[in-house]
Amino acid sequence: MCQSKSCQDTPILSIDNLTIDIPTSAGTLHAVRGISLDLKRGETLCIVGESGSGKSLTSLALMGLLGKRIVPRADRMEFDGIELTTASARTMRKLRGARMAMIFQEPMTSLNPAYTIGDQLMEALTLHGGSSRKKARARAIELLEKVGITAAESRLSQYPHQLSGGLRQRVMIAMALMCEPELIIADEPTTALDVTIQAQILRLLADLQREMNMAMILITHDLGVVARVADKVAVMYAGELVETGPVKEIFAAPSHPYTRGLLRCIPLPGKTKRGSVLGTIPGIVPSLVGDVEGCTFRTRCEHAAPACRGPIPLHSSPEGTHSFRCIYKPGSLQAEAALSTGTSV
Amino acid sequence: MLNFILKRLGLALLVALTVSFISFILLFLSGDPAIALAGEGATDEDVLAIRKLYGFDRPMLMQYASWLLSALSGDFGESYYFKLPVSSLIADRLSVTMLLGLCGISFALLTAVPLGVIAAIRPNSIIDRIALFLSVAGQAMPSFWFGLILIVAFSIKLRWLPPSGTDSWRNFIMPTVVLGYYAMPAIMRLTRAGMLDVLSSDYIRTARAKGASEMRVMFKHALRNAIIPVVSLAAVQMGFMLGGSIVVESIFALHGAGYLAWESISRNDLPTVQALILIFSMFYITFTFLADVLNAWLDPRMRSS
Ligand SMILES: Nc1ncnc2c1ncn2[C@@H]1O[C@H](COP(=O)(O)OP(=O)(O)O)[C@@H](O)[C@H]1O
Ligand code: SF4
Ligand SMILES: [Mg+2]
């Protein structure tokens, strides 16, 4: 792999204007609209946003797993210089599992019930060639140990139904890591698990990410986790990226009213407790079927104004790292909030 | 796995024993077998002599035990009608029926499973439509009618295939198609539904996320899970084909066991009926057992339950 400074700085993932339309009986569902993101090697991006905001679709689009019916479009969607939107099925297959891997939300159903853990782990390696069964077996044991599974060797001959949800998700993580991917996408990896296990699994993922220097996209509702593991945060609402930036800036100065609503219950960035969940905002998400115009958050936004129906400007910080989409300029809402509560920011 | 097999084997034996007892009882259902054996115009002494000769005067359980023992060694008694040993009577017939059943189920599986898989991979495609048409037609068309159509077309008009008899393998083509087509629709629909269900499951997405090729996804990851219910259905169908091939056997004048069973019932030839019921049941039990074992091999969750 590359160690040089310049190589470390070029993004492993670069998305510009990703759009996902889904044909439905009621019309076209504009599920994801104009998402742009960059991710460097070794960096962790956390995507937050309520369910239905298009987080899973975005990650499946990156993996090329949307299926035949849904074709994503993008001005650019590059993984290490490979344009994914035009890549052949063969190219995608060679990337998947080998250089980019994904962990899903449902550990209970994500493993094939008919094959042993060992078979499924080893397959991840042997599929991509160049590895004997013996080597694959050794690697499987090594990774099971790495993800904290005891008696790793004897687990190889077990079947998924013999394992608990937490163990299955650990197996899924081990499987994703078999080929040492450069990018790992974890889509709400702990949502389906017991609260007590959630923290363990997330800590494990974060540790492995650091140890193996992978880029990681972590989709989670746990703001405590975001505060601890993220380098960057992307906030999605109704299929759009409403705000993105370095984790410190997002927590210290959330600019988009939606982000501010999510973080409302969080006192200070350094003091975010583990397990604190996103704040909830009253109101309903508008339908994304048919024409979608203006800011989709306006049905719930306390600052909504007539101008919110029109085109919404994108504000970027001078360095271009922090940006959000709203009719209000950066800082103006913070100032307003300060005025109304009589405190200074 | 071995544990599972032994358990199932024990269960199968138990069922077989019960069934054998029921078929033994059959002999006494239509009255005193000694009177039936003696025939019309027999004196009381004749009946008594026959009762003694055949052992009908012994306790029921004893009779069952000795009947079972001789049945196990292939001796099913003597046919009332032919006055010949039942075993020699059914040996040939049984091989015809077995052959027909095996050909029929193979034909059904070899057409239904690939069609079902393709239909599931490409729903609403031409192949899916054709498969649906074939399955609806197969369901709607009675076997005897389909058989007659085939005879008219291939034997009378085209003169390609013999309409009846068991002289060569060509005699078996049309019966196989008719019998197989009878079982095909259900197998196909179950395969298609199973594949569709499995293909939308999370572990298929996992397989793709690993970088598995579509072929691998379909055959290694999907089909193995989708085929599990099909195995059980095929076992039931196979058992049914052995006993239920009477229609097909009579259309094509294949003198098989199904036809013999039908004839023997109308002739009141109880020992023959009894032997056939016993043999058909044993086949049925064997197929179900084999299907269970195959399923347990396919689906590890079944082994532990
Ligand atoms: N295969 C699909 N067909 C139709 N609609 C879909 C499909 N997948 C997702 N959607 C819709 O797209 C929206 C975004 O879904 P998703 O990306 O799963 O959201 P998230 O992961 O943020 O909860 C939702 O409204 C969902 O109903
Ligand atoms: S554009 Fe308008 S509705 Fe949307 S977030 Fe900004 S103020 Fe609220
Ligand atoms: Mg999701």
Side-chain angles (χ1 to χ4, degrees):
Chain A
M1 234 163 278
C2 64
Q3 251 82 45
S4 76
K5 180 90 171 65
S6 66
C7 185
Q8 285 285 337
D9 281 351
T10 53
I12 180 87
L13 190 69
S14 174
I15 310 172
D16 189 20
N17 203 15
L18 170 66
T19 299
I20 304 174
D21 289 340
I22 303 177
T24 68
S25 52
T28 304
L29 173 71
H30 301 283
V32 171
R33 300 183 309 288
I35 289 201
S36 302
L37 279 173
D38 273 342
L39 195 62
K40 295 196 188 84
R41 286 179 188 277
E43 229 175 17
T44 297
L45 166 76
C46 283
I47 304 183
V48 298
E50 53 201 10
S51 64
S53 54
K55 306 180 299 291
S56 297
L57 283 176
T58 303
S59 26
L60 291 172
L62 288 173
M63 293 290 291
L65 288 175
L66 283 176
K68 291 191 200 79
R69 214 167 55 84
I70 307 171
V71 182
R73 287 175 289 125
D75 292 343
R76 185 178 63 241
M77 186 162 75
E78 283 182 1
F79 173 82
D80 197 25
I82 304 164
E83 178 54 52
L84 301 178
T85 48
T86 53
S88 66
R90 200 181 137 80
T91 307
M92 287 309 292
R93 215 161 58 224
K94 285 190 165 169
L95 287 179
R96 276 199 295 265
R99 301 188 60 194
M100 49 203 266
M102 186 159 173
I103 300 159
F104 301 97
Q105 189 176 337
E106 307 84 5
M108 298 311 280
T109 49
S110 288
L111 288 162
N112 193 327
Y115 295 99
T116 61
I117 302 302
D119 269 342
Q120 298 186 59
L121 279 168
M122 289 190 283
E123 184 186 25
L125 198 59
T126 51
L127 261 181
H128 295 285
S131 185
S132 65
R133 266 191 82 78
K134 206 172 148 211
K135 270 199 200 136
R137 196 183 142 84
R139 174 87 178 143
I141 295 173
E142 179 194 335
L143 272 167
L144 283 181
E145 279 164 359
K146 222 185 190 79
V147 298
I149 291 183
T150 52
E153 189 157 5
S154 67
R155 299 281 183 189
L156 292 183
S157 56
Q158 285 192 310
Y159 287 93
H161 73 272
Q162 296 169 308
L163 269 52
S164 68
L167 277 180
R168 287 190 216 186
Q169 197 61 304
R170 283 175 198 263
V171 170
M172 286 297 290
I173 294 173
M175 204 155 82
L177 299 180
M178 282 295 279
C179 291
E180 286 195 58
E182 291 141 76
L183 169 68
I184 186 156
I185 304 174
D187 185 359
E188 300 190 36
T190 60
T191 306
L193 299 177
D194 270 9
V195 182
T196 48
I197 301 169
Q198 292 188 356
Q200 294 172 18
I201 298 277
L202 285 168
R203 193 177 315 127
L204 172 73
L205 258 178
D207 290 348
L208 289 169
Q209 180 269 334
R210 214 166 301 128
E211 187 185 326
M212 300 170 87
N213 194 34
M214 298 176 289
M216 175 158 81
I217 296 178
L218 176 63
I219 300 174
T220 179
H221 290 297
D222 190 330
L223 286 177
V225 169
V226 175
R228 279 185 309 118
V229 309
D231 296 304
K232 286 179 180 174
V233 180
V235 183
M236 285 188 72
Y237 180 79
E240 271 178 320
L241 203 59
V242 293
E243 181 162 6
T244 178
V247 64
K248 285 207 182 70
E249 289 181 32
I250 295 285
F251 275 84
S255 300
H256 192 279
Y258 178 62
T259 316
R260 294 164 64 79
L262 291 183
L263 300 183
R264 184 166 293 150
C265 52
I266 309 298
L268 277 169
K271 292 186 183 151
T272 306
K273 281 206 298 287
R274 178 177 304 150
S276 351
V277 285
L278 298 176
T280 48
I281 302 157
I284 48 162
V285 186
S287 160
L288 301 178
V289 176
D291 289 343
V292 181
E293 272 169 358
C295 177
T296 46
F297 189 54
R298 65 177 182 271
T299 50
R300 297 164 77 182
C301 180
E302 50 188 0
H303 307 286
C308 303
R309 294 173 181 280
I312 310 295
L314 178 74
H315 308 285
S316 292
S317 63
E319 318 83 67
T321 50
H322 186 172
S323 63
F324 71 102
R325 208 177 272 278
C326 179
I327 58 162
Y328 291 101
K329 286 197 183 62
S332 56
L333 287 177
Q334 276 99 329
E336 190 186 290
L339 267 180
S340 62
T341 55
T343 54
S344 63
V345 181
Chain B
M1 185 77 186
L2 190 67
N3 223 336
F4 173 87
I5 294 178
L6 288 177
K7 245 188 230 165
R8 282 300 148 119
L9 196 61
L11 205 65
L13 286 176
L14 218 65
V15 174
L17 213 63
T18 316
V19 167
S20 73
F21 188 71
I22 293 171
S23 42
F24 167 74
I25 293 290
L26 258 185
L27 203 55
F28 299 87
L29 236 51
S30 55
D32 191 336
I35 296 175
L37 260 176
E40 275 169 60
T43 61
D44 284 356
E45 283 100 90
D46 292 342
V47 173
L48 260 169
I50 284 178
R51 188 167 292 147
K52 241 204 158 64
L53 181 67
Y54 284 87
F56 292 135
D57 53 347
R58 290 173 300 165
M60 200 72 146
L61 222 53
M62 281 260 303
Q63 287 187 52
Y64 169 65
S66 71
W67 172 81
L68 188 63
L69 281 177
S70 17
L72 281 176
S73 61
D75 174 11
F76 297 99
E78 191 173 86
S79 157
Y80 290 174
Y81 181 82
F82 293 102
K83 308 287 178 207
L84 283 170
V86 171
S87 51
S88 70
L89 198 64
I90 58 178
D92 288 351
R93 313 277 196 122
L94 209 56
S95 57
V96 169
T97 298
M98 278 295 283
L99 186 62
L100 187 57
L102 282 175
C103 290
I105 197 76
S106 308
F107 176 79
L109 286 172
L110 288 177
T111 52
V113 172
L115 263 181
V117 169
I118 297 173
I121 295 175
R122 303 234 179 289
N124 300 320
S125 65
I126 297 282
I127 293 190
D128 190 18
R129 303 265 155 103
I130 293 174
L132 181 70
F133 171 78
L134 285 176
S135 123
V136 171
Q139 209 99 71
M141 203 158 40
S143 290
F144 74 87
W145 195 65
F146 183 45
L148 290 178
I149 288 180
L150 289 186
I151 291 177
V152 169
F154 293 97
S155 303
I156 300 173
K157 297 267 189 240
L158 295 168
R159 298 185 168 277
W160 286 353
L161 294 169
S164 61
T166 48
D167 311 322
S168 84
W169 60 270
R170 299 174 59 221
N171 290 84
F172 282 89
I173 295 180
M174 289 193 292
T176 295
V177 171
V178 174
L179 197 60
Y181 193 30
Y182 178 78
M184 197 208 86
I187 297 179
M188 199 207 72
R189 269 180 293 122
L190 198 62
T191 308
R192 182 182 184 272
M195 273 303 270
L196 274 179
D197 187 43
V198 167
L199 283 176
S200 66
S201 63
D202 291 333
Y203 58 83
I204 294 300
R205 189 182 55 190
T206 305
R208 293 206 171 101
K210 277 190 213 178
S213 66
E214 275 310 289
M215 281 300 236
R216 198 180 175 88
V217 169
M218 293 300 157
F219 293 103
K220 181 172 174 175
H221 289 276
L223 189 58
R224 176 159 176 171
N225 287 289
I227 209 76
I228 292 165
V230 176
V231 171
S232 313
L233 177 68
V236 174
Q237 300 262 29
M238 176 75 196
F240 190 78
M241 277 185 184
L242 291 183
S245 59
I246 306 170
V247 174
V248 175
E249 285 177 15
S250 42
I251 299 170
F252 295 98
L254 291 171
H255 291 284
Y259 193 59
L260 178 67
W262 186 68
E263 281 177 318
S264 303
I265 290 169
S266 54
R267 286 177 195 139
N268 232 339
D269 188 355
L270 280 173
T272 313
V273 174
Q274 188 184 42
L276 287 171
I277 288 178
L278 188 67
I279 290 169
F280 284 146
S281 315
M282 293 310 131
F283 277 130
Y284 194 84
I285 292 166
T286 310
F287 292 132
T288 319
F289 168 71
L290 290 179
D292 280 350
V293 172
L294 185 55
N295 268 346
W297 176 71
L298 288 170
D299 184 358
R301 284 166 299 183
M302 262 179 233
R303 286 171 225 165
S304 47
S305 65

